[in-house]
Amino acid sequence: MTKNESEIPEQGDQHQGHAKTGLAMTSLAAIGVVYGDIGTSPLYAYREAMVAAGGHRGGVDPEHILGVLSVITWALIIVVTIKYVIILLRADNDGEGGTFSLLALVQRAMGRPTPIVLALGMLGAGLFYGDAAVTPAISVLSAIEGLKLVTPAVEPFLVPIAVIIIVVLFVFQSKGTASVAKFFGPIMMVWFTLLAAGGVMNLIQAPMVLQALNPIRAAELVTSNGALGFTILGAAFLAVTGAEALYADLGHFGRMPIRISWLAVVMPSLLLNYYGQGALLMTHPEAIENPFFRLYPEWAVLPMIVLAGMATVIASQAVISGAYSLTQQGVQLRLIPRLRIRQTSETQQGQIYMPEVNFWLMLGVLMLIVIFGSSSALAAAYGISVTGEMCITSILVMVVANRLWKMPLILSIAMMLPFLALDLTFFGANSMKIFSGGYVSLAIAAGMIILMWTWRRGAAIILKLERENDVPLDMIFRQMDSKSISTVPGTAIYLTGTPDMVPAAMLHSLKHFKALHEHIVILTIVTEDVPRVPNESRVNMEELNERFRKVELRFGYAEEPDVPKALLQCRKLGWKFDIMATSFILSQRSLKLSGQRRMPAWQSLFFFYLARNATRSSDYFRIPASRVVELGTLVNV
């Protein structure tokens, strides 16, 4: 349920904490979180593009070296710098970014949810989960594969080592990352400094690779090599995977720190490293086996492997945290079943842990590592989900530019169409890898889309069934003085999504107990299409008579709803809320497969599974178990 945009006070581009934190320190923190994924791309991106060009078959074509460098250079400039850093960071939803934030922003801009926009949002979210499973697997594998340069005997142990690292990483999630996150920025700053240093050391040996700055080199590579050029393009796209994190982490750091860190540190370091790899292959074609680690002297390889391992763990941590945040937003937007959310930091908002998400994501990553076994094999599974997500983002930003930025429709389309065309080109190039591994991320995305579609469809059916038996609230008022209805001391709060109708739990109380509490509150919890609702706009209260009142609590889609804490604000409105004298009466549904099904049997059973495993309302809304009374209802679906 959403409200008119004008009812929500503007919160500005950045949270107040951003203004208090020095810009330099915030930019350093952004380097540690935002750029972990794209910052570890040099480990495998250039190598995979050159292998796609046929370099592994002996002999490295200098034209391919320059062409691949040119593709990577202009992909970083056009896709990351212009599209994301300059344009997309403006499409914030009260300071928040990401797929669901953009979906909520578009829905607000259009005034109501539309099936097409909702489908695009679900597709984008599903593709993100596919990316979230592949990123830790390929990053960790690519880092530890450098050990083969130290001793080839380690090769049989690479997969077990990767499995151990991933298991430790995911097990550590329950402890929270607040205590170690302060080191992410400095570690990644050292990483980017050494990326640049390794590149410069080799670039001065073959400065002719600077010819790749000419975009004609990229165009010639793609157009003059037929299908091979398209294949190379798909592999070169690996250099910009992780660009979506710039937008997804907007709410954590703000627009300016993300821009400064990209333009001043990350982009120059990446380009210098890629050009250094190109220069190395010009003079030492045999280094194509692992051009990244070959950039450094032999004595520095092992320390770089250790640092690369740390960088890939940080990159994986950012993706895992992103999966938590996206899932939390999906739950609030009623696209995903309620899941357990644990706050892991008392001081930092957004530091959360979701056990179910953590388990399934870890399982997916481990399966990918064991099945594919190397970063080169996984490279085929990487990229297609990212390109698909970028295409959806370009389409949704057209709507935002037209409806919210008030740009003419033609100008909105003209602004984003070149980016959409480039995204579609990369998507087409990566689609050629579907049967060699790309099916993995698509299968994960499809599974998540089916989950969201099933949950939303099933919830809509249940709501429709319950409304068939709705009784207007004012009908209860006429029976209040009836001697057949007893009065119970205390206050009862009934949670409902339809505040003008009698809650199902109240109907059951009247039917079975012939009693109502002395004071009754009809409580509705509303999720707004903004990330956070300020406290002064949290509560609306309306007294209906001496016994009944309505209370509406409003939360943003990025918030963790704490109902008892929010109800304390009712004291300012005249209701002396005391949780120890209050009972929360909730409806607990039991679902049964109906002979006249409104969904296919498989989807109904899947919905039953999701509903049974969803977190109980009392736990999700942080209502103390000692104050909860649940009345069961049977619903035939």
Side-chain angles (χ1 to χ4, degrees), residues 139-181:
S139 298
V140 171
L141 278 171
S142 62
I144 63 173
E145 283 170 353
L147 291 171
K148 291 190 293 185
L149 301 179
V150 179
T151 169
V154 78
E155 187 166 1
F157 304 101
L158 292 180
V159 169
I161 292 172
V163 167
I164 292 172
I165 292 174
I166 290 298
V167 170
V168 171
L169 173 64
F170 278 92
V171 169
F172 187 76
Q173 297 303 310
S174 62
K175 308 297 182 183
T177 59
S179 59
V180 296

Side-chain angles (χ1 to χ4, degrees), residues 158-220:
L158 292 180
V159 169
I161 292 172
V163 167
I164 292 172
I165 292 174
I166 290 298
V167 170
V168 171
L169 173 64
F170 278 92
V171 169
F172 187 76
Q173 297 303 310
S174 62
K175 308 297 182 183
T177 59
S179 59
V180 296
K182 59 186 176 183
F183 299 110
F184 287 0
I187 290 173
M188 292 305 296
M189 189 66 189
V190 172
W191 171 254
F192 284 115
T193 300
L194 293 179
L195 286 187
V200 170
M201 285 190 299
N202 289 269
L203 179 58
I204 58 178
Q205 304 297 323
M208 74 281 292
V209 295
L210 293 175
Q211 297 175 46
L213 291 170
N214 186 346
I216 295 177
R217 290 284 185 177
E220 289 178 345

Side-chain angles (χ1 to χ4, degrees), residues 316-333:
S316 302
Q317 177 61 60
V319 172
I320 295 168
S321 300
Y324 294 160
S325 298
L326 187 73
T327 304
Q328 180 190 20
Q329 294 177 14
V331 169
Q332 283 288 73
L333 293 172

Side-chain angles (χ1 to χ4, degrees), residues 578-610:
D578 180 5
I579 193 169
M580 300 311 296
T582 302
S583 296
F584 291 82
I585 303 180
L586 313 179
S587 294
Q588 184 65 28
R589 300 186 187 95
S590 296
L591 304 179
K592 182 180 178 182
L593 200 60
S594 171
Q596 297 179 339
R597 291 189 292 270
R598 293 164 174 81
M599 290 192 297
W602 70 267
Q603 196 171 30
S604 297
L605 293 174
F606 186 36
F607 177 72
F608 291 175
Y609 171 80
L610 295 175

Side-chain angles (χ1 to χ4, degrees), residues 34-35 37-39 41 75-76 79-81 83-85 88-89 131 237-249 258 262 382 386 389-390:
V34 177
Y35 297 108
D37 190 358
I38 197 170
S41 295
L76 289 173
V79 175
V80 184
T81 307
K83 178 185 174 182
Y84 277 90
V85 174
L88 204 59
L89 289 185
D131 179 33
F237 180 79
L238 294 172
V240 297
T241 54
E244 65 280 3
L246 278 72
Y247 184 50
D249 287 318
I258 292 176
W262 170 255
Y382 206 26
V386 180
E389 188 178 358
M390 287 181 173

